[in-house]
Amino acid sequence: NHPKRPQMEAQIQGDSFWYLANGRWGAVTNNAGKIFVEETVALKEKGYVRTQKGGLFEITESSVSKLEIPGVCEAITKSLDGTLLASFQGLGVFEFKDNWHKLLECPYADSERDFEVHLTAERGCIALAVRPDPQFPPGAGWPSNSSHFIYNSRPGIWIADGQEWKSVAILAPR
């Protein structure tokens, strides 16, 4: 527990984001609207939050603000240069400095939206993966007596070390 936590909590006027800066915990109140956090990225002096609905918020020590974005955000990560990378549904991967700059096209067919997207950057490469969400067979609900699920899409992994994606083969288990 932080020794000044009660005083800090007394200043909060709603949902807040907590951060650690210079060895001290601080909080900034979210006045930008109700959000449900899906993913976060911490950079040097800012943090970013991706919401379940595909919005992006920038958090500093003094404010929470909604970013103008090119589309529905499906994944975020930190670049090797310490900037924000984001994948937008059907649009591709963009870098955010003062504005959005497109780096790569979207490598997969944007059809059923029944998958999760994951993004990372390491050793000069950007990688993107899609993982299908399991669906109950028609007529089966939760809880299902069936231990079998159906998938309406396939998993995929792509790696880019420049301006072009290369697909990685995924071997199915036998």
Side-chain angles (χ1 to χ4, degrees):
N1 277 343
H2 190 279
K4 294 187 180 180
R5 184 172 179 153
Q7 294 94 333
M8 292 167 60
E9 287 178 350
Q11 295 174 3
I12 295 170
Q13 301 297 316
D15 292 334
S16 298
F17 293 98
W18 289 83
Y19 62 89
L20 180 64
N22 301 319
R24 296 186 353 214
W25 282 99
V28 59
T29 300
N30 174 24
N31 294 318
K34 187 180 202 179
I35 63 171
F36 291 96
V37 175
E38 184 70 23
E39 188 175 19
T40 63
V41 169
L43 302 182
K44 188 173 181 177
E45 295 181 10
K46 297 177 183 179
Y48 293 91
V49 170
R50 179 176 67 87
T51 69
Q52 287 181 342
K53 291 186 177 181
L56 266 179
F57 288 79
E58 182 178 77
I59 294 102
T60 66
E61 289 184 31
S62 60
S63 69
V64 177
S65 56
K66 186 172 185 177
L67 288 178
E68 291 293 324
I69 56 177
V72 176
C73 187
E74 57 192 3
I76 57 176
T77 195
K78 179 181 177 179
S79 76
L80 296 174
D81 297 331
T83 60
L84 179 68
L85 297 179
S87 177
F88 295 96
Q89 279 182 11
L91 298 175
V93 175
F94 290 69
E95 180 179 33
F96 184 72
K97 291 184 182 175
D98 293 326
N99 53 34
W100 292 103
H101 171 72
K102 188 171 188 173
L103 299 177
L104 295 156
E105 293 291 332
C106 183
Y108 59 89
D110 188 33
S111 57
E112 299 296 320
R113 297 300 316 150
D114 62 344
F115 49 81
E116 289 182 12
V117 178
H118 302 275
L119 183 65
T120 191
E122 293 289 331
R123 299 184 184 139
C125 295
I126 297 172
L128 186 136
V130 294
R131 183 190 67 81
D133 287 332
Q135 308 292 316
F136 290 112
W142 182 258
S144 174
N145 293 335
S146 171
S147 62
H148 301 292
F149 294 100
I150 59 172
Y151 297 90
N152 295 325
S153 61
R154 297 181 53 94
I157 300 173
W158 296 267
I159 297 176
D161 60 0
Q163 296 185 6
E164 204 171 296
W165 292 111
K166 293 178 183 147
S167 180
V168 176
I170 300 174
L171 300 176
R174 293 185 189 242

